[in-house]
Amino acid sequence: MKYRVTLLEGDGIGPEVTGATCRILAAAGAPIEWERAPAGGEAMEKYGVPMPEVTLESIRKNRLGLKGPLMTPKGGGFRSANVTLRQALDLYVGLRPVKTLPNIPGAWPGLDLVLFRENTEDLYAGIEHEVTPGTVVSLKTSTVRAGERISRWAFEHMRYRGRRTIHCCHKAPINPLADGAFLNAFRKVGGEYPFIEQLDIGVDTLSLLLPMDPSRFDVLLLQNLYGDILSDLCAGLAGGLGVVPGANIGSKAAVFEAVHGTAPDIAGKGLANPLAVLLSGLMLLEHVGEWKIAGRVERAVWDVLAAGKHLTGDLGGKAGTAEFTDAIIDAL
Ligand code: NAI
């Protein structure tokens, strides 16, 4: 059986890093058939929007997508293509594992964290208006339904993966209703998982403690904005955006993507590091239960990184995208 997966190559370095990922997954024998769909600049030219309906429809049909980075057009009156994608498909779980890989400059040793970000509410609902000239109101939304479903997903993931401790991050003393609702939803759902240690922590305290000693945390559950900011902080602890994968998951579809952007400064030069998109591809394989193939590719990645001979520039090496990709295929 083959999985049909919608491929959004993306802008800038997108086609280079998704191309490298497709080559490696094919070499590993991953049972995937790609269905290309336009997004970003290509879609703007053809359809006048960065995330056209034809692409959303392809993901709805296949229920799986792999996405390269997309440029957000500035000042054109468009919502970010990424936000459109998450909201149109109700991809409410932002899943970001943050793990130390070998030979990554500046990475905390032994880091092994999982972040869950609620992807659909909070300030990202985009409800803003000017009450009187010079006074703007921007609404933070928080529903019990959203808090409960992301909490349940996080607890189920922990049960399945054998994770032990979760911290729910909030600023409830300042936002007692919005953050309080999220915290209450976490506690209510948590009652069904007594075998998991459940704690809560202020977003300010978490921001202090993470860079001091991330090893004290296992799983973090955060609302949209806190999750957006702290997941980048955690990526920094793992050595930067170039090595961190991500997934946006809903009950009907899941889209896997690197966290970094289109890197316009190196686009088209064959220098980009494909690791983050590749690791996102491995999350996709795990999501559909292809653990064996995902594990094999992960071991090949670890071998190449540990050997340190074919690293891309951002990892302190001199290799280009093709050489790094070939090295992983050789290691397979
Ligand atoms: P960026 O992540 O594209 O680049 C920041 C720095 O990291 C640059 O020096 C770049 O060369 C480097 N870098 C990023 N990915 C790399 C990789 N795989 N290999 C080697 N070096 C890499 O962030 P920036 O410049 O702020 O954003 C550029 C564009 O990307 C913007 O239009 C932004 O809207 C978009 N963007 C899209 C995202 C997405 O689609 N998920 C996420 C973040 C930004």
Side-chain angles (χ1 to χ4, degrees):
M1 176 197 160
K2 283 210 165 191
Y3 300 94
R4 203 164 235 276
V5 179
T6 303
L7 178 66
L8 286 64
E9 289 181 341
D11 299 311
I13 57 170
E16 297 163 66
V17 290
T18 53
T21 297
C22 292
R23 272 188 63 208
I24 293 167
L25 296 186
I32 293 179
E33 202 174 280
W34 301 103
E35 180 175 297
R36 263 192 95 260
E42 181 191 357
M44 283 293 291
E45 269 179 31
K46 209 165 162 192
Y47 298 97
V49 286
M51 186 56 63
E53 189 51 36
V54 60
T55 297
L56 294 172
E57 205 39 55
S58 165
I59 303 172
R60 279 192 198 102
K61 174 174 59 91
N62 296 328
R63 303 174 70 121
L64 291 170
L66 182 73
K67 178 182 153 297
L70 300 176
M71 164 197 72
T72 302
K74 287 200 179 88
F78 292 102
R79 293 201 82 178
S80 142
N82 294 315
V83 174
T84 304
L85 179 70
R86 286 171 204 159
Q87 294 197 342
L89 301 176
D90 199 20
L91 306 176
Y92 63 91
V93 180
L95 170 56
R96 174 92 64 92
V98 185
K99 211 153 110 175
T100 310
L101 299 169
N103 249 336
I104 304 296
W108 260 86
L111 195 64
D112 184 12
L113 271 172
V114 177
L115 273 88
F116 286 96
R117 165 183 170 190
E118 201 292 316
N119 254 347
T120 59
E121 296 198 328
D122 202 338
L123 288 168
Y124 294 73
I127 308 169
E128 286 191 321
H129 65 279
E130 195 169 31
V131 186
T132 54
T135 305
V136 170
V137 171
S138 185
L139 291 181
K140 170 167 181 162
T141 59
S142 174
T143 65
V144 171
R145 173 177 173 263
E148 287 188 2
R149 65 180 182 172
I150 182 79
S151 298
R152 190 169 304 285
W153 217 96
F155 281 118
E156 282 298 316
H157 179 93
M158 291 179 74
R159 163 154 75 176
Y160 196 53
R161 301 287 180 101
R163 296 242 167 207
R164 309 187 81 90
T165 306
I166 183 167
H167 283 82
C168 179
C169 166
H170 62 88
K171 192 78 184 165
I174 301 299
N175 285 318
L177 289 184
D179 288 26
F182 192 74
L183 192 53
N184 288 341
F186 163 73
R187 287 187 178 136
K188 181 176 166 214
V189 175
E192 297 170 36
Y193 300 85
F195 45 90
I196 291 173
E197 188 184 14
Q198 301 165 29
L199 303 161
D200 67 274
I201 185 165
V203 62
D204 40 1
T205 310
L206 184 60
S207 308
L208 170 76
L209 296 180
L210 269 172
M212 289 174 74
D213 181 12
S215 71
R216 69 168 83 193
F217 298 102
D218 181 10
V219 176
L220 302 173
L221 174 67
L222 309 103
Q223 286 168 287
N224 212 340
L225 182 63
Y226 306 146
D228 190 359
I229 297 168
L230 288 186
S231 57
D232 276 20
L233 186 151
C234 289
L237 299 175
L241 292 178
V243 295
V244 180
N248 298 297
I249 303 171
S251 51
K252 296 198 174 136
V255 178
F256 298 79
E257 63 171 336
V259 174
H260 60 70
T262 58
D265 50 335
I266 55 166
K269 296 183 181 162
L271 299 173
N273 178 1
L275 201 49
V277 171
L278 175 62
L279 295 175
S280 307
L282 300 190
M283 287 176 75
L284 185 154
L285 287 175
E286 290 174 359
H287 183 75
V288 296
E290 296 288 347
W291 292 91
K292 234 171 139 179
I293 299 175
R296 239 185 102 219
V297 180
E298 193 179 358
R299 277 196 299 282
V301 167
W302 276 64
D303 287 350
V304 170
L305 292 176
K309 287 191 199 144
H310 305 283
L311 304 182
T312 47
D314 59 310
L315 301 181
K318 293 200 165 67
T321 315
E323 185 183 331
F324 183 66
T325 304
D326 290 342
I328 294 173
I329 292 173
D330 285 348
L332 276 169

